[in-house]
Amino acid sequence: MGILIRILVAALAALLTAYILPGVKLEDFTTALILAIVLGLLNLIVKPVLVLLTLPVTVLTLGLFLLVINALIVMWASSLVKGFRVDNFWWALLFSVVLSIINGIMLSLGPGTNDD
């Protein structure tokens, strides 16, 4: 049940982020749900490989290169999800940052997890 709530929250956060940023277009809630699933899968499968391959650059830039990896994943998701469009790399970078902030805020407003 927790994963479904996280997907719904991510979809709502993506809709809100696309509404805020003029360089990002998202058609509807169904597209946002598909985007949340695709971003989740890309972050689960592709991101660890990219982080590992770019570890020297990431260390050299004190972790800032991770923002570039996030932007590339968003751009890749925009090519995979019909109805989601990002104008350029900079909008993808800003989208990933704002999405992370909004998603974090929305998840923190929900009920806490009980690890007991």
Side-chain angles (χ1 to χ4, degrees):
M1 188 66 167
I3 190 76
L4 292 175
I5 292 172
R6 286 186 176 270
I7 290 172
L8 288 173
V9 168
L12 288 172
L15 273 176
L16 183 60
T17 305
Y19 179 76
I20 293 171
L21 300 176
V24 178
K25 303 292 183 244
L26 192 56
E27 279 185 8
D28 54 9
F29 186 71
T30 305
T31 306
L33 278 173
I34 295 169
L35 175 65
I37 293 168
V38 168
L39 282 176
L41 289 173
L42 288 174
N43 282 329
L44 181 70
I45 298 167
V46 177
K47 187 175 180 178
V49 174
L50 289 177
V51 169
L52 188 62
L53 291 175
T54 61
L55 194 58
V57 177
T58 303
V59 170
L60 189 64
T61 61
L62 302 175
L64 290 177
F65 193 73
L66 293 174
L67 295 172
V68 173
I69 292 173
N70 287 340
L72 292 174
I73 288 175
V74 168
M75 291 181 71
W76 193 8
S78 74
S79 68
L80 294 174
V81 177
K82 188 176 181 175
F84 174 61
R85 184 178 56 90
V86 179
D87 287 344
N88 57 37
F89 172 81
W90 298 108
W91 284 117
L93 181 70
L94 192 57
F95 178 83
S96 70
V97 171
V98 174
L99 179 66
S100 295
I101 292 170
I102 292 175
N103 199 17
I105 290 170
M106 290 175 73
L107 285 173
S108 71
L109 294 176
T113 59
N114 191 2
D115 292 334
D116 295 337

